[in-house]
Amino acid sequence: MKGARLGILVAWLAALGLLGAVVATQLKVGTDLRSFMPAPTTPDQKLLMDQVGEGPGSRLLLVAIDGGDDAGKAALSRGLAAALRKDPAFTQVVNGDFDLGMLDTRLLPYRFLLSPTLDTQALDEDYLADQLQQRLDDLGSPAATLLKGLLPRDPTLETLKLAERWTPVRSPDVREGVWFSSRGEALMLAQTRGAGFDPGAQDEAIGHLRAAFAALPGSAASHLAISGPGYFTVVVNAQTRDQADWIGRISTIGFIVLMLAAYRSVSSLVFGALPVATGALAGIAVMTVCFTEVHGITLAFGFTLLGVAQEYPIRLLSHRRAGESAVASVKGLWPLLLTAIASACIAYLAFYASGVGGLKQLAVFTITGLLAAGFTTRYALPYLLPERARDVADTPGLARFRGWLDGLPRPRWLPVPVAAAAVAMLVFAPGPFWQNDLSALTPLPRDLLMTDARLRGELGAPDVRYLLVVQAPTADGVLAASAKLEPRLREQVAAKTLDGFELPSIYLPDLATQRARQAKLPDRATLDAALDGALDGMPFRKDLFAPFVDDVETARGAPLLTPEAFARSPLGQRLAAMLVPRGDHWVGLSALSGVHDAAAVASAVASAGANARLLDLKDASESLVAEYRTRILHALLAATLLLLVTITLALRSVRRAWHVLAPMTLATFLVLAVERMAGIPISLFHLVALILAAGLGLHYALFFERDTGDPAEQRRTLHATVVCVISALLVFGMLAWSSIPVLRAIGLTVSLGVAFHFCLSILMAPHARQDRLH
């Protein structure tokens, strides 16, 4: 017998090793949090999802350098900007200093087509003379060093005009050549290449930023502060992982202590963990086959939901009679255990029906894991357990506890006041019922959010709520429509309803505008004559401006600049994020900052006749959450009906099915009522937790409904259930104390659910038999 047991153990461990090898070689973990967002159905929702991860506002990091004098901070700002501009993790870095590299050297002749100068001014003798006189005056100013390098090629300073045009309308004060805040910090905006909702890409970019700063001379005496959506993504990801880790460690230790106290057997503890381990590895292995990439949150939540599976070996361990083999015990237990497994799988099918990628993965993981854990508990675990086991029915105090429970009043009308109390609490609960604002679920400390708001205001960074959307059949059509909007938005800035804006046409004019400017460029002979007249009486040599004349001649015959050609510029990525194809049309996405009167801005945009509109991303996100919730509720309703049919068929009695489903249903409504009375709006995560709690509660009701007429067996049922309840409360009770709102919502909901399910399952069990054995 020992040899057979050893063979089964070796085969089981080998299977686990094989599953582990599959997981180790095939598993690819993703980090894009949009996997856990609902699939968008409307154009606004699709834009929302794109902007959450890919939009320029989501990619912006706000950087502040403090400590030391202004000159030192400015030097650090310039050094950091220079390092980041060479780093492929960043597409743009702006700190207020003039960067000639903003326009690719090969594209410098195009400055005449990009700058609005030629819209109102010709390159004639009078204009050139005025510009050269200004440059002569500038050479005696502190800006002389910069101008000496620009003068031969750009005497009209079109490059500087473009740099000013491409700088945010509302920008900080410039001291020592870089931006400074009102508190004396050197400021910088850095746009990452990685998506804002990708913790991995953002973590890498922020790591590069910190390393570049640490490598600068004098950085040790200064402090670097970072903010922005990408930084928040990294903070939340790390915070969630850290709390989940320590909660997991403490829960594991607590579970080990609980199992040893309940069964007083190390072998029961070790062997009892094998089905759960099998379920976890099987779930991950199936996910790697079904999905190209598995989200990290799926794994974290999956292991939590798989906690239901630990009840299977607990049931087997607790229901063994003295002198009875585990094989014989599990045969009598299996029909009810199989019903519990099937019911839990049906409940988790609601995740798959949600249509959300992350939840579909979660459904595959948990359902596979529950099946693997359940069937290994039935067909493998009994052959490993020792032949002799202590009968838990003889546990000291258990008979008295069972007797006390059976002595509690169990009126048939108990569901009526419970249901009435739940309805009353739900009706009179304060505040909104549903939590539609996803930002309310952020675990970020208030000081971080306040710092972000302050830096965003100082830098004039784009508002993360509002987006200006322009549509046209072609990319050039979007640029033309964008140009129509510019004067309207400038009026709004002057009226102080808006602090600033960013339009695609500011970076790249449409082809008609470029063509009109190109037509105004003089030929070489005309420009030479105008330059001769302008230089009369000036101390400049004419040949000094040969590069300027060459650039004008090049611009006259150059092909017009398209978005594809402009992509070679460092600003190309910025334009690409603002100008995107959508099926048979193009969309321009313009960021706004400091929207003080959304209605006025929307009215001005609508009056421009540019097929543009102001999109409120907060409204779009709330509508998306509402649609997602409706879909989840429909899936839950379908799962409930399927569960009702399954339980009724399995128990072959509507009355017995009522004794199982009624406690679960009432407990679910009680959890909702208590949380609502506490002023907690119900979020999507509460719904997920309610499904988990219902899965646990269903097990309690199933086994309490089973009346064998044997007081000892009833005590075994109570023992198994109490161990399961304590185990669940150990894990989820700790989650309820978490500072992460999502973890806290799940922990509190499941803890309340476990408590209510246990109490109602006992009180609504069909028998009221006294166990008088002591």
Side-chain angles (χ1 to χ4, degrees):
M1 187 66 183
K2 288 184 179 179
R5 190 179 297 136
L6 180 61
I8 293 172
L9 178 60
V10 170
W12 197 345
L13 293 176
L16 289 180
L18 181 61
L19 286 174
V22 171
V23 170
T25 55
Q26 302 297 322
L27 179 64
K28 289 179 62 179
V29 179
T31 55
D32 190 342
L33 296 178
R34 287 174 297 173
S35 297
F36 273 82
M37 293 293 286
T41 56
T42 67
D44 283 357
Q45 291 173 358
K46 290 176 183 177
L47 280 176
L48 165 68
M49 296 303 294
D50 288 339
Q51 289 308 294
V52 161
E54 305 291 340
S58 72
R59 296 169 181 262
L60 275 185
L61 293 178
L62 287 61
V63 181
I65 301 171
D66 201 8
D69 58 16
D70 285 359
K73 286 180 284 191
L76 289 172
S77 176
R78 283 190 290 268
L80 181 59
L84 297 185
R85 284 167 183 154
K86 299 174 184 176
D87 192 326
F90 295 89
T91 59
Q92 187 186 18
V93 180
V94 185
N95 67 341
D97 66 336
F98 173 67
D99 177 25
L100 191 61
M102 290 174 72
L103 192 63
D104 191 288
T105 305
R106 293 168 296 178
L107 299 179
L108 270 177
Y110 281 99
R111 64 187 182 273
F112 301 105
L113 308 187
L114 299 175
S115 169
T117 297
L118 290 176
D119 295 344
T120 57
Q121 183 63 59
L123 287 181
D124 54 19
E125 180 180 332
D126 291 340
Y127 178 69
L128 290 175
D130 177 67
Q131 290 293 300
L132 290 173
Q133 182 59 54
Q134 289 186 39
R135 298 299 84 77
L136 191 60
D137 296 339
D138 292 338
L139 288 175
S141 72
T145 304
L146 172 65
L147 291 176
K148 283 181 180 177
L150 286 175
L151 189 60
R153 190 167 187 178
D154 195 13
T156 63
L157 299 187
E158 300 306 319
T159 313
L160 283 178
K161 293 173 186 175
L162 286 176
E164 183 179 357
R165 182 171 171 79
W166 294 338
T167 298
V169 175
R170 182 173 171 232
S171 56
D173 294 335
V174 176
R175 300 203 300 268
E176 302 287 340
V178 300
W179 284 336
F180 272 82
S181 74
S182 58
R183 297 187 181 183
E185 306 150 303
L187 300 179
M188 179 184 301
L189 284 173
Q191 190 174 64
T192 62
R193 189 176 300 277
F197 238 36
D198 185 343
Q202 290 296 322
D203 193 27
E204 181 182 4
I206 290 170
H208 289 191
L209 193 155
R210 292 191 187 279
F213 180 76
L216 296 173
S219 61
S222 297
H223 172 68
L224 180 72
I226 306 173
S227 191
Y231 176 71
F232 292 159
T233 298
V234 173
V235 170
V236 170
N237 193 55
Q239 196 174 2
T240 305
R241 185 174 57 248
D242 290 345
Q243 291 207 11
D245 285 347
W246 72 260
I247 288 173
R249 286 193 294 269
I250 295 176
S251 300
T252 301
I253 295 171
F255 180 71
I256 292 172
V257 173
L258 173 66
M259 293 291 285
L260 290 176
Y263 302 108
R264 302 175 189 177
S265 169
V266 175
S267 61
S268 295
L269 168 66
V270 174
F271 292 146
L274 286 176
V276 181
T278 304
L281 285 174
I284 299 174
V286 171
M287 277 200 301
T288 60
V289 173
C290 297
F291 303 98
T292 56
E293 190 176 79
V294 177
H295 202 284
I297 291 180
T298 300
L299 297 176
F301 277 118
F303 285 118
T304 302
L305 295 177
L306 200 57
V308 176
Q310 73 189 19
E311 295 204 0
Y312 307 152
I314 286 175
R315 292 289 176 185
L316 175 57
L317 293 171
S318 288
H319 282 273
R320 283 187 70 181
R321 297 176 178 86
E324 182 184 48
S325 71
V327 175
S329 179
V330 80
K331 285 181 180 178
L333 196 64
W334 181 240
L336 205 57
L337 202 58
L338 181 60
T339 303
I341 294 168
S343 301
C345 290
I346 289 171
Y348 290 149
L349 276 175
F351 292 155
Y352 198 88
S354 70
V356 177
L359 291 185
K360 291 175 73 173
Q361 292 182 4
L362 203 57
V364 170
F365 183 21
T366 51
I367 291 173
T368 303
L370 292 178
L371 291 173
F375 279 93
T376 51
T377 298
R378 168 63 180 88
Y379 294 106
L381 181 60
Y383 298 94
L384 293 181
L385 294 176
E387 293 181 13
R388 295 181 179 275
R390 184 180 65 89
D391 193 336
V392 300
D394 299 328
T395 300
L398 186 61
R400 286 191 298 273
F401 183 39
R402 180 76 208 205
W404 178 79
L405 288 175
D406 282 342
L408 293 174
R410 304 182 184 208
R412 291 179 178 273
W413 43 262
L414 178 64
V416 176
V418 172
V423 170
M425 286 191 287
L426 287 172
V427 170
F428 295 106
F433 188 93
W434 296 112
Q435 176 58 271
N436 290 329
D437 186 2
L438 292 179
S439 65
L441 298 175
T442 176
L444 294 169
R446 183 171 177 79
D447 60 334
L448 273 185
L449 295 174
M450 291 179 66
T451 298
D452 181 77
R454 181 179 66 82
L455 292 179
R456 195 168 292 278
E458 298 259 19
L459 284 160
D463 195 308
V464 293
R465 175 172 178 176
Y466 294 102
L467 191 68
L468 190 59
V469 182
V470 184
Q471 292 187 198
T474 64
D476 191 61
V478 171
L479 294 173
S482 173
K484 292 180 181 178
L485 288 170
E486 187 173 348
R488 297 286 188 181
L489 293 180
R490 295 202 184 279
E491 291 172 1
Q492 294 302 306
V493 171
K496 300 189 183 303
T497 63
L498 178 67
D499 287 346
F501 59 90
E502 190 176 40
L503 294 169
S505 57
I506 289 178
Y507 298 101
L508 180 65
D510 60 275
L511 295 177
T513 300
Q514 291 185 56
R515 192 176 294 110
R517 291 171 182 172
Q518 191 176 48
K520 293 182 179 180
L521 290 171
D523 57 30
R524 182 180 291 273
T526 304
L527 183 59
D528 275 339
L531 192 57
D532 280 339
L535 287 170
D536 188 28
M538 293 275 185
F540 300 116
R541 302 192 321 272
K542 182 182 178 182
D543 60 353
L544 175 68
F545 300 105
F548 165 65
V549 176
D550 291 340
D551 276 355
V552 172
E553 185 63 22
T554 301
R556 285 187 71 245
L560 300 178
L561 203 54
T562 62
E564 293 76 17
F566 193 71
R568 290 177 289 176
S569 164
L571 288 170
Q573 285 290 328
R574 193 168 183 178
L575 180 66
M578 301 171 67
L579 196 62
V580 292
R582 283 287 179 274
D584 60 349
H585 66 283
W586 284 73
V587 176
L589 307 173
S590 303
L592 305 176
S593 57
V595 179
H596 303 297
D597 187 343
V601 175
S603 176
V605 168
S607 67
N611 194 19
R613 58 196 172 87
L614 185 67
L615 173 62
D616 187 337
L617 295 179
K618 184 174 183 291
D619 286 349
S621 70
E622 289 180 354
S623 71
L624 184 60
V625 169
E627 287 184 18
Y628 177 31
R629 182 177 59 244
T630 301
R631 186 165 183 171
I632 285 282
L633 290 173
H634 287 164
L636 284 176
L637 178 60
T640 301
L641 295 175
L642 187 57
L643 204 57
L644 175 62
V645 173
T646 302
I647 296 293
T648 303
L649 292 176
L651 300 180
R652 301 176 183 177
S653 167
V654 174
R655 182 183 63 83
R656 294 186 66 191
W658 159 258
H659 287 303
V660 172
L661 293 174
M664 182 188 75
T665 305
L666 286 175
T668 300
F669 281 105
L670 272 178
V671 173
L672 283 174
V674 169
E675 291 189 329
R676 288 296 302 114
M677 283 301 293
I680 301 173
I682 304 304
S683 72
L684 299 174
F685 300 103
H686 290 96
L687 292 180
V688 171
L690 283 172
I691 298 172
L692 173 56
L696 291 166
L698 188 68
H699 288 196
Y700 309 157
L702 269 172
F703 281 89
F704 279 130
E705 191 278 337
R706 173 182 178 239
D707 182 7
T708 64
D710 178 3
E713 182 61 21
Q714 291 172 5
R715 293 198 301 274
R716 294 185 192 101
T717 297
L718 179 61
H719 182 277
T721 305
V722 168
V723 173
C724 291
V725 167
I726 294 175
S727 174
L729 289 177
L730 181 67
V731 175
F732 295 102
M734 292 189 63
L735 284 179
W737 290 98
S738 171
S739 64
I740 309 291
V742 172
L743 297 182
R744 188 166 61 246
I746 292 173
L748 178 62
T749 303
V750 176
S751 297
L752 288 172
V754 165
F756 286 140
H757 281 100
F758 175 72
C759 295
L760 290 174
S761 296
I762 285 258
L763 293 175
M764 296 178 68
H767 63 275
R769 190 183 304 273
Q770 288 282 352
D771 181 357
R772 302 188 182 279
L773 295 178
H774 298 282

